[in-house]
């Protein structure tokens, strides 16, 4: 069965939004299937790039689920994007998920981002 987790970053996007401070608890082992992105306000100038991290504890350094080239992104001028190529595809019971914005648009940063994580229970 697929499970869906979501994050939302309201307002104008910034790489200093502290989005990584919002973390979701993973209650049991799951297989990561897809990460999907959507914005209400499109970015211009360059893509929005998001990194999703798995944390061992609520207050700990995270490990990215992606290699740099495979991070999910929304191309400039569009409003959706996704990635299903993972460096780590197992979400471990008792871990936490968080995300950060690695890049935003330059002419217009973009706004109101939704990050949807789809996983399958093992």
């Amino acid at each position: 069965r697929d499970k869906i987790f979501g994050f939302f970053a309201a307002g104008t996007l910034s790489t200093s939004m502290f989005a990584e401070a919002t973390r979701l608890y993973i209650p049991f082992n799951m297989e990561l299937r897809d990460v999907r992105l959507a914005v209400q306000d499109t970015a211009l100038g360059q893509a929005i790039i998001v990194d999703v991290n798995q944390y061992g504890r609520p207050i700990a350094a995270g490990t990215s689920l992606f290699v740099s080239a495979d991070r999910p992104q929304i191309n400039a001028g569009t409003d959706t994007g996704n990635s299903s190529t993972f460096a780590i595809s197992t979400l471990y019971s008792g871990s936490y998920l968080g995300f950060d914005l690695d890049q935003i648009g330059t002419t217009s940063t973009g706004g109101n981002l939704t990050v949807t994580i789809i996983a399958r229970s093992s």
Side-chain angles (χ1 to χ4, degrees):
R1 294 185 166 169
D2 287 346
K3 309 294 182 197
I4 297 175
F5 302 94
F7 294 102
F8 184 70
T12 302
L13 300 181
S14 162
T15 56
S16 62
M17 288 183 80
F18 299 107
E20 72 278 2
T22 302
R23 298 186 183 175
L24 297 172
Y25 179 73
I26 302 301
F28 40 82
N29 288 347
M30 289 185 266
E31 175 192 0
L32 192 56
R33 309 286 288 172
D34 197 14
V35 175
R36 298 179 185 175
L37 309 174
V39 290
Q40 184 178 26
D41 305 320
T42 60
L44 299 175
Q46 62 184 13
I48 297 169
I49 299 176
V50 175
D51 198 8
V52 180
N53 300 289
Q54 184 167 213
Y55 300 87
R57 304 176 310 175
I59 303 171
T63 302
S64 178
L65 300 177
F66 302 93
V67 296
S68 186
D70 293 329
R71 293 171 296 176
Q73 72 176 39
I74 299 173
N75 292 326
T78 64
D79 58 3
T80 61
N82 77 300
S83 182
S84 57
T85 303
F86 310 106
I88 298 171
S89 61
T90 301
L91 303 178
Y92 295 103
S93 174
S95 67
Y96 294 80
L97 292 181
F99 79 99
D100 54 81
L101 300 171
D102 290 349
Q103 179 178 292
I104 56 175
T106 52
T107 307
S108 172
T109 63
N112 298 317
L113 170 70
T114 300
V115 178
T116 303
I117 298 165
I118 301 168
R120 182 163 290 165
S121 55
S122 11

